[in-house]
């Protein structure tokens, strides 16, 4: 059978890796796919560099529309990123009845509903394994491997840059700014690392995970997103002393009131496997009603790991493209007319437990005043530590861990406590999850 023809949009780090791995493993991939998969055309702004990568194996152009409009191209691989030009090109490729493989989490999280509807109408596949957690086959696992389950919750370390920063802050006691510079020097963080450190990249990935786990549309705009920029080395140390690690987690959970969809720094017990995922690695913990907890671990970025996911999608599309579109695995795991409209819970309605650190004057009655406010708000204290004052100081840090409480009640209590004359400055609040069975 003649090979299937692929057009590649963008041949940077991931595109170059995809080209190389596809060429290197062509024989094995052909044996798996049932026919060859060949990159016939490449579009990149830097035509010279693209030619150096592909040699004479593919036609190179600076005009991506030449690729998406070419009738000889069967599958378009979009590796440009962002939500402007990539958005137009993906819709145009679908319009031209081409299958699409993309690593673009921002695009799917923000425009996925429109893109999947267009693909459904045209009977083409949009595959996106590389969009979440790089080389970890988490989309495949959720959409197919765990399909018997009612997914209860997922908690994931799905941004390698922020996990690297938190790991280094803990290991070396360094400040956030120092480690961020180190991450940039090592090439982990983007030149503008805002999406990584503010939790936006993780929220993009979480919106995709939630959609295929619960059968809901992409709800990125409803996600609560808080990054790691305000975390201090002191909080990481105090958490450690209490038996916890702080990780930037993407959490999505089924509750009686709606789905939770939130990204924020989270204290988790240090003994959990996921608490020990360090550096740029990713890990996703999934709880299904039948299987219980399963965890998926691996590199969340990088040329070859991401290429591994892109090529897996190419093989899937190659195997399935002649199948009746109604008999393929649905894009979002559930049949498109079966998506649920259950709402995403506002963060104020979320119930979890909390780490609260406050600085207070070290004098009689202070604790009683604070615990009274918490008791009035129905917030129960699970553990408490008062740190020794430094020499010559009369202010101390108090750390409290709460039992489960509704966030709006905690907000109200924090605001009352911050107004007490014995309390200095603002309270640091970090959410906690036990992630138990
Ligand atoms: N910037 C992402 C991360 C890479 O740090 O995990 C791939 O999404």
């Amino acid at each position: 059978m003649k090979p299937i023809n692929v057009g590649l949009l963008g041949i940077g780090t991931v595109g170059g890796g995809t080209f190389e791995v596809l060429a290197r493993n062509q024989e094995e991939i052909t044996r798996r796919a049932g026919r060859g998969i060949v990159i016939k055309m490449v579009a990149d702004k830097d035509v010279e560099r693209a030619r150096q990568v592909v040699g004479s194996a593919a036609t190179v152009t600076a005009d991506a529309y030449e690729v998406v409009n070419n009738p000889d191209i069967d599958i378009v691989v979009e590796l440009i990123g962002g939500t402007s030009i990539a958005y137009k090109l993906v819709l145009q490729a679908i319009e031209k009845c081409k299958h699409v493989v993309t690593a673009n989490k921002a695009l799917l999280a923000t425009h996925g509903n429109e893109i999947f509807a267009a693909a459904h109408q045209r009977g083409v596949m949009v595959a996106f394994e590389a969009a979440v957690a790089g080389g970890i086959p988490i989309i495949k696992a959720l959409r197919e491997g765990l399909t018997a389950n009612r997914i209860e919750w997922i908690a994931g370390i799905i941004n390698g840059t922020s996990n690297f920063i938190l790991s280094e802050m803990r290991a070396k006691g360094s400040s956030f700014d120092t480690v961020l510079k180190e991450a940039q020097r090592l090439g982990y963080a983007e030149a503008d690392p805002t999406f990584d450190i503010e939790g936006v990249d993780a929220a993009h990935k979480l919106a995709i995970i939630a959609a295929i786990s619960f059968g809901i549309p992409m709800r990125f705009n409803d996600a609560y997103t808080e990054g790691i920029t305000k975390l201090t080395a002191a909080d990481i140390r105090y958490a450690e002393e209490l038996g916890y690690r702080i990780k930037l987690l993407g959490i999505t959970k089924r509750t009686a009131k709606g789905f939770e969809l939130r990204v924020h720094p989270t204290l988790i017990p240090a003994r959990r496997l996921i608490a020990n995922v360090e550096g740029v690695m990713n890990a996703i913990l999934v709880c299904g009603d039948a299987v219980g907890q399963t965890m998926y671990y691996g590199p969340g970025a990088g040329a070859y790991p991401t290429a591994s996911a892109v090529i897996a999608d190419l093989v899937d599309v190659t195997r399935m493209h002649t199948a009746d579109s109604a008999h393929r695995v649905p894009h979002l795991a559930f049949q498109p007319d079966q998506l649920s409209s259950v709402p995403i819970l506002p963060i104020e309605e979320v119930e979890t437990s909390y780490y609260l650190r406050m600085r207070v004057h070290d004098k009689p009655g202070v604790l009683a005043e604070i615990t009274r406010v918490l008791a009035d708000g129905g917030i129960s204290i699970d553990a408490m530590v008062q740190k020794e004052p430094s020499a010559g100081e009369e202010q101390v840090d108090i750390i409290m861990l709460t039992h489960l409480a509704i966030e709006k009640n905690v907000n109200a209590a924090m605001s009352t406590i911050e107004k007490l004359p014995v309390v200095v400055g603002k309270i640091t609040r970090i959410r906690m999850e036990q992630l138990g069975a």
Side-chain angles (χ1 to χ4, degrees), residues 105 158-161 190 196 201 205 282 300-301:
K105 58 252 164 169
I158 44 181
N159 181 267
T161 303
E190 308 288 326
D196 291 319
D201 176 73
K205 294 165 182 165
N282 283 197

Side-chain angles (χ1 to χ4, degrees), residues 2 23 35 51 71 83 124 137 139 169 260 349 378:
K2 81 179 183 50
R35 60 193 286 196
R51 283 214 177 95
T83 53
V124 296
I139 302 297
M169 284 174 76
E260 295 181 7
E349 299 298 331

